[in-house]
Amino acid sequence: MNLVQVDSGDLSKLGRMIGQVADAQEVLHRKQDLLQSSIGQVADAQDQTKQELLELRREFHDYLRRDELRHNLQVAHTEIIQVRQELETDYGHFGEVRRLATGTLQALDVGIVTHGTMRSLTEELMLQTPRYWLAPALVAVAAWIRDDPALAQKALAEATRRDNDKAALFFALILRRNRRNEATARWLRQYTARQNPAKLSREFTVILDAVSQGAFGHESKPLVMAQMGGWYERLSGDRETVDRQVGRWAELLDTYRRRIDPRYTILAEISPTWPQLKELYEGATVHSEAEQKFRAMFTGPVPQSDDLRERVDDILNGLVTGYDVEEAPLRRREHELQEIVKAEGDKDVAAKAVQAAAPLHENTVDFLTLISNAAVGSGTSGASLGTRRFAVALAKDWIVQGAGRLEAANLSAQPAAVELEVEGWTDRIDATTREDDLVAGLAAHIDAETEAAVARVRFVGPPLTAAIVAGFGLIFALWSGLAHNVGLAVVLLVGAGLAGAWSGYQARGLPARRVELRRQGEQRKAVAVAQLRGGIAELVDLRTEWERELASAESLRTYLNGLTSAAFAGPAPDQRRGA
């Protein structure tokens, strides 16, 4: 009887424990509902955090790039100062002689400097610059002015010994300045007879200057024009020489690229073809940019004085202020640093500009290259605006061919299709692709991945094992109770209850997890589809802009072909009718 009472008490206690387990299970279910709601909020926060991290990564890369450009810019500015200090230290005394050159002539024009002062200054500079051709040239001029033929002859011989070509041009211009036209022609005839059109020195730009500014008279201008015409015809027949000019202009025009609009952001993220598309667009912008530069060059009159002496003085300045061979390495380095500054620290852009301008720094060039050098710019070549116009008109055929090469290369570089990659989905756009098909493909890809993720949410693994353990535990608990082993039965029953409660908790959460996965999949699909449509819209806009830019190549050709070199050979102010 006592045994039955004990058994009843234990069973009653076991019943209360089962009730407590059931209550705990209900609490767990309520907590599960709260947890699923929290999981949804965490998923939303996770998506937002992912986007913020991607944006932060882009900003970090942008920061690193800006910091690199800033560093390059600072170093370039510092090194420019050092190079210029070295130029001043090593060649500053050349500058004193250069400043005196035209100043001497202009002072004597107004008669406010005595011959004695002029002699003293020129002979002092002769001592200070023992290798420089301009110092004895100035001594010769001063001696000629005060009618000292013996000293003038000695100084002239020394000047021509140091640099025959520059001295010849210098004296020809001085004689022309004083309207000694026959003597000018003799000096120029002597000068041009010594020239090799395949190896001209940079000072020949002075000849182009004189032609474009009308500094030559009847005796000199036909001589020079005939000589240049012969050289032009001869070298234009050399295919290799012409190809070098065409290639040189293609490189130069390619530096006129305009950077792509920064509004294109989506396509850059979703298309592996983006670098090629960016290169294609920027390469097409060179034609409109080049036309703008040429039109600006030819807009407005060339400022020229009606006084022959002032025109010749401008050309003399170009001759005497041009740097000499000894300064060339430092001048080249200065130019490289200036290009880095101009490119705001971008060394790749600067390297292209330096490569395109490399012929400007050669000691000798062929006549066609010299024309191109003069057309490129006055800063390095020493050519005036009028000379640049004259040279561009001479070089127009090479410029047109160079632009044509760039146009052909740009057209041939078009990708057959544009690759797309969004959320692990890949496809391509070509001429036959429809946007709706791409969107449907992306949506189907994300739907398939979502359903695969949902399918993996099943009653398997630990929850199923726990349910089986609970079943066996219940069986063994009943068997132990029947065997009057109440202690073991209670332990097994509690264990089975806990395992069953946890398994039930997991089973009850499966539908909610599937719903959450589908919600996340729909959200992911909406974002991806919007990104795809945005990228396609950017691609359409980019192609439209590219076609418009490439079409401007025809406008550039038409403009250049309308230029005539004869129109930019200026008449002399003292011989307008016959020049």
Side-chain angles (χ1 to χ4, degrees):
M1 186 69 180
N2 291 335
L3 179 60
V4 174
Q5 290 177 351
V6 171
D7 289 344
S8 299
D10 289 341
L11 291 174
S12 177
K13 185 185 296 185
L14 182 61
R16 287 195 301 274
M17 293 178 67
I18 292 174
Q20 292 173 356
V21 169
D23 292 340
Q25 187 176 10
E26 182 64 29
V27 171
L28 284 174
H29 288 323
R30 288 197 296 270
K31 289 184 177 181
Q32 181 187 22
D33 293 337
L34 293 173
L35 182 60
Q36 292 296 335
S37 177
S38 299
I39 289 174
Q41 295 175 359
V42 169
D44 293 339
Q46 186 179 17
D47 291 339
Q48 182 178 357
T49 302
K50 181 181 178 181
Q51 293 299 322
E52 290 175 352
L53 286 173
L54 290 174
E55 182 64 27
L56 181 61
R57 185 177 66 178
R58 285 194 295 269
E59 291 179 357
F60 179 68
H61 286 308
D62 290 343
Y63 167 78
L64 290 179
R65 179 59 175 163
R66 288 194 302 270
D67 184 65
E68 179 187 2
L69 295 178
R70 187 165 50 249
H71 173 73
N72 293 342
L73 195 59
Q74 290 174 346
V75 171
H77 277 299
T78 302
E79 291 190 7
I80 283 177
I81 295 174
Q82 294 174 348
V83 168
R84 288 176 178 171
Q85 287 176 342
E86 190 172 349
L87 282 169
E88 179 63 27
T89 301
D90 295 343
Y91 304 103
H93 52 290
F94 284 14
E96 296 181 22
V97 183
R98 291 163 180 166
R99 286 189 292 272
L100 184 63
T102 52
T104 300
L105 301 174
Q106 292 171 5
L108 291 173
D109 287 342
V110 296
I112 59 175
V113 178
T114 65
H115 291 171
T117 301
M118 188 57 60
R119 176 174 183 173
S120 175
L121 284 173
T122 55
E123 292 180 358
E124 181 180 351
L125 290 174
M126 178 71 185
L127 297 175
Q128 293 177 355
T129 52
R131 299 187 308 277
Y132 194 28
W133 69 271
L134 187 54
L138 289 178
V139 172
V141 170
W144 174 57
I145 291 172
R146 66 175 182 271
D147 196 19
D148 186 348
L151 181 58
Q153 188 65 33
K154 289 180 181 179
L156 189 150
E158 179 61 19
T160 55
R161 185 189 67 80
R162 294 185 180 185
D163 196 320
N164 201 333
D165 289 344
K166 286 187 177 180
L169 284 177
F170 180 73
F171 290 120
L173 290 169
I174 288 179
L175 289 166
R176 174 58 181 149
R177 189 178 186 276
N178 291 277
R179 292 180 171 82
R180 304 289 184 88
N181 296 333
E182 291 183 2
T184 300
R186 286 197 299 270
W187 274 104
L188 287 175
R189 189 175 294 109
Q190 176 188 348
Y191 170 77
T192 56
R194 288 196 306 271
Q195 301 307 305
N196 178 358
K199 292 184 178 181
L200 293 174
S201 56
R202 285 193 306 269
E203 69 266 4
F204 195 86
T205 304
V206 171
I207 298 293
L208 297 179
D209 260 331
V211 171
S212 67
Q213 297 190 42
F216 287 147
H218 287 313
E219 297 82 355
S220 303
K221 184 174 178 180
L223 167 69
V224 171
M225 293 297 286
Q227 186 73 66
M228 290 196 304
W231 290 346
Y232 188 92
E233 291 298 326
R234 189 201 316 175
L235 292 177
S236 294
D238 184 351
R239 187 69 258 174
E240 184 179 350
T241 302
V242 173
D243 280 345
R244 281 201 303 270
Q245 299 314 306
V246 174
R248 195 283 182 79
W249 276 105
E251 289 181 358
L252 179 64
L253 293 174
D254 199 42
T255 64
Y256 293 163
R257 290 173 175 235
R258 185 173 66 251
R259 292 186 179 181
I260 198 166
D261 195 310
R263 76 175 187 275
Y264 292 105
T265 56
I266 301 176
L267 193 59
E269 292 183 4
I270 69 171
S271 176
T273 319
W274 170 251
Q276 189 176 353
L277 296 175
K278 178 176 177 290
E279 175 75 13
L280 200 68
Y281 171 79
E282 292 181 349
T285 63
V286 301
H287 306 286
S288 59
E289 291 294 308
E291 183 176 350
Q292 289 181 22
K293 290 180 183 295
F294 287 128
R295 286 187 180 275
M297 182 190 302
F298 285 90
T299 299
V302 176
Q304 285 188 339
S305 172
D306 288 333
D307 188 307
L308 175 63
R309 290 185 174 184
E310 290 186 6
R311 290 198 187 185
V312 174
D313 284 349
D314 288 340
I315 300 169
L316 277 170
N317 280 329
L319 175 63
V320 301
T321 58
Y323 66 84
D324 286 78
V325 176
E326 297 96 326
E327 304 171 65
L330 289 175
R331 296 291 182 180
R332 279 196 293 270
R333 180 56 181 161
E334 182 185 25
H335 174 250
E336 292 170 359
L337 296 170
Q338 286 175 330
E339 289 297 338
I340 293 175
V341 172
K342 189 185 300 182
E344 298 180 348
D346 192 328
K347 289 188 174 182
D348 293 334
V349 173
K352 287 184 178 180
V354 169
Q355 177 64 28
L360 290 172
H361 300 278
E362 296 293 335
N363 293 329
T364 60
V365 294
D366 62 78
F367 179 59
L368 301 189
T369 301
L370 186 134
I371 291 174
S372 295
N373 288 349
V376 166
S378 58
T380 307
S381 67
S384 65
L385 176 60
T387 304
R388 292 181 65 195
R389 291 182 178 182
F390 180 57
V392 167
L394 283 171
K396 65 178 182 180
D397 291 341
W398 315 327
I399 303 174
V400 168
Q401 291 179 51
R405 285 188 183 181
L406 293 179
E407 181 185 14
N410 194 275
L411 284 168
S412 64
Q414 291 184 80
V418 175
E419 303 292 334
L420 297 173
E421 184 176 321
V422 183
E423 292 287 344
W425 168 84
T426 59
D427 209 324
R428 48 192 290 155
I429 301 179
D430 55 27
T432 63
T433 307
R434 295 174 62 250
E435 179 178 346
D436 291 343
D437 293 339
L438 292 173
V439 170
L442 174 60
H445 167 77
I446 294 179
D447 286 342
E449 286 193 339
T450 300
E451 289 306 314
V454 170
R456 288 193 293 271
V457 180
R458 295 179 297 169
F459 191 67
V460 293
L464 179 60
T465 302
I468 294 173
V469 169
F472 279 109
L474 183 60
I475 294 172
F476 283 118
L478 292 175
W479 179 78
S480 299
L482 292 175
H484 304 293
N485 192 346
V486 177
L488 178 60
V490 170
V491 171
L492 291 173
L493 191 59
V494 170
L498 291 175
W502 183 80
S503 177
Y505 168 75
Q506 293 295 323
R508 186 178 176 186
L510 293 180
R513 288 172 61 190
R514 295 187 185 105
V515 169
E516 178 59 24
L517 286 172
R518 288 193 173 95
R519 186 194 69 79
Q520 292 179 8
E522 289 299 318
Q523 183 180 18
R524 177 184 167 210
K525 181 170 64 175
V527 172
V529 167
Q531 191 177 32
L532 175 61
R533 290 189 184 277
I536 294 173
E538 286 189 0
L539 179 61
V540 172
D541 291 344
L542 182 63
R543 182 172 183 83
T544 301
E545 289 192 23
W546 171 74
E547 290 176 345
R548 183 173 62 250
E549 291 292 342
L550 201 60
S552 63
E554 180 61 32
S555 177
L556 174 63
R557 282 193 292 270
T558 301
Y559 178 74
L560 289 172
N561 285 329
L563 301 176
T564 306
S565 59
F568 302 102
D574 60 333
Q575 299 173 338
R576 289 186 182 278
R577 292 185 179 179

